[in-house]
Amino acid sequence: MEATVYDVVVVGGGPAGLSAALVLGRARRRVAVVDAGAPRNAPAAHMQGFLSRDGMPPAGLLAAGRAEVAGYGVELAEDQVVGIEAGFFVRLAGGRVLKARRILVATGVRDELPEIPGVRQRWGRDLLHCPYCHGWEVRDKPIGVLGTQPGSVQHALLVRQWSDDVVFFVHTYDLTSAERVQLEARGVRVVSGEVARLVVEADRLTGVELADGRVIPRTAVFIRPGNVPQAGGLLTGLGCEVNEAGFVTVDATGRTSAFGVWAAGNVVDPRAQVITSAGAGSAAAIAINADLVQEDVERAVEDHDAAGGVFSAA
Ligand SMILES: Cc1cc2nc3c(=O)[nH]c(=O)nc-3n(C[C@H](O)[C@H](O)[C@H](O)COP(=O)(O)OP(=O)(O)OC[C@H]3O[C@@H](n4cnc5c(N)ncnc54)[C@H](O)[C@@H]3O)c2cc1C
């Protein structure tokens, strides 16, 4: 028996992948979505800033999305893609191999957090990264920002928009005098010294403890994590070009430099929110369908010519 040829295999069933699958399913394309089931915002109880879905649990959005795409005949596979060979042959950890005409990679991004006690446990709860996702919920509260990597000071200056009580913990950051002036001018208190741990009481963050034993009371701490594309090797393995930050380069529709391969959402842009990731998936789907239509027309003309080029009279 011949293997099913999917028009599109979507790798990753987060907001970007499911949004693409919805558009492609409605365009009557044969689509499979393979999802490993670990979306980036899973630790958060609520998803903010998505018009008409503000405050919805992240899992609720995905459950609704899966039901919608299934209604248009999209196949959903709970599995992990472990390789994609030219052609395209998509290998799943469970042993299946799917054949596809086009590929959309929407595998998201991995957040790299510093090894400070408490950081992993509080991630997405009161150890936060995105003020647009969580700033409103901690407005006017005592907030901390951890200095870890380039961009940490900008992060503190941004977070200041949500509270008058912001402390910048220098930690391992190499603070310049110009940055210190900026922080002080904006009323951000600078606390020197390495951070030893986040203090947690009754399942709530209550402070930041420094290596010298001082504890600075805080209700939330922001951090700018490092970002690495998830399963980025699938894209580079197909020959897609990447930028200096290691993210694949795409055009406005998410088309990569490799024939037939698109990428959308956080795997391309770690700053993309849920709504913009979903929008990128939708834009990619429309471009992929257009590309398939073009190929369908070329094949039809070849078949038509091979058959002697006889037009059937209307
Ligand atoms: C703690 C936290 C809170 C956040 N809160 C908000 C918020 O309130 N509002 C907001 O707009 N944004 C929020 N974000 C950002 C949001 O998570 C992203 O914008 C969004 O998840 C990006 O969608 P995506 O589809 O690109 O990736 P993801 O949602 O991460 O989905 C990618 C999917 O691909 C799967 N996958 C990865 N590799 C493979 C593979 N090899 N094979 C098969 N599947 C694979 C993953 O398991 C995952 O299910 C938050 C982020 C974090 C970390």
Side-chain angles (χ1 to χ4, degrees):
M1 200 174 71
E2 271 196 23
T4 307
V5 179
Y6 293 91
D7 289 314
V8 186
V9 169
V10 179
V11 189
L18 287 176
S19 184
L22 179 63
V23 173
L24 289 163
R26 285 177 51 77
R28 312 190 72 184
R29 291 294 176 186
R30 181 128 209 200
V31 181
V33 178
V34 185
D35 184 47
R40 184 184 184 193
N41 56 353
H46 303 284
M47 175 198 71
Q48 310 291 345
F50 194 125
L51 189 65
S52 82
R53 299 289 178 273
D54 189 44
M56 191 177 191
L61 180 86
L62 298 181
R66 282 193 291 268
E68 284 176 3
V69 303
Y72 293 103
V74 170
E75 290 175 40
L76 295 163
E78 288 176 30
D79 211 325
Q80 189 184 357
V81 173
V82 290
I84 307 177
E85 276 98 51
F88 296 98
F89 297 92
V90 182
R91 278 189 294 114
L92 312 194
R96 281 176 75 196
V97 177
L98 311 182
K99 183 156 170 43
R101 296 172 67 192
R102 299 290 183 275
I103 297 289
L104 172 63
V105 174
T107 45
V109 78
R110 194 174 70 245
D111 293 295
E112 297 206 311
L113 302 171
E115 291 301 330
I116 298 171
V119 158
R120 280 188 191 284
Q121 297 88 311
R122 305 314 299 174
W123 176 237
R125 301 178 67 193
D126 32 31
L127 188 268
L128 310 164
H129 76 303
C130 164
Y132 298 102
C133 308
H134 310 282
W136 175 264
E137 283 65 39
V138 296
R139 65 193 183 282
D140 299 326
K141 296 271 186 342
I143 296 175
V145 178
L146 272 187
T148 48
Q149 57 170 316
S152 294
V153 166
Q154 283 307 315
H155 212 47
L157 295 169
L158 180 66
V159 167
R160 172 70 180 77
Q161 174 68 20
W162 281 268
S163 177
D164 291 344
D165 183 1
V166 178
V167 167
F168 180 72
F169 293 94
V170 178
H171 186 49
T172 55
Y173 187 83
D174 195 9
L175 190 65
T176 67
S177 50
E179 287 172 330
R180 187 179 285 274
V181 168
Q182 285 183 334
L183 290 167
E184 284 173 4
R186 283 291 284 142
V188 175
R189 210 172 116 213
V190 176
V191 170
S192 302
E194 255 188 61
V195 169
R197 67 178 183 111
L198 301 182
V199 183
V200 179
E201 289 162 13
D203 202 25
R204 296 180 90 89
L205 190 150
T206 57
V208 174
E209 185 175 321
L210 296 150
D212 62 12
R214 279 177 297 158
V215 174
I216 313 293
R218 299 288 94 186
T219 8
V221 171
F222 281 79
I223 187 170
R224 183 162 279 187
N227 290 130
V228 181
Q230 290 237 78
L234 298 176
L235 290 162
T236 49
L238 288 166
C240 300
E241 285 169 13
V242 294
N243 61 24
E244 59 288 347
F247 284 81
V248 73
T249 52
V250 291
D251 72 6
T253 74
R255 187 179 208 139
T256 72
S257 59
F259 169 81
V261 183
W262 271 256
N266 275 171
V267 74
V268 171
D269 175 9
R271 288 173 182 240
Q273 298 287 92
V274 174
I275 198 164
T276 39
S277 299
S282 173
I286 288 170
I288 291 170
N289 188 51
D291 195 46
L292 287 168
V293 166
Q294 179 69 28
E295 187 177 278
D296 292 341
V297 170
E298 285 165 13
R299 281 189 187 166
V301 170
E302 279 167 23
D303 292 349
H304 175 76
D305 288 349
V310 184
F311 285 94
S312 54

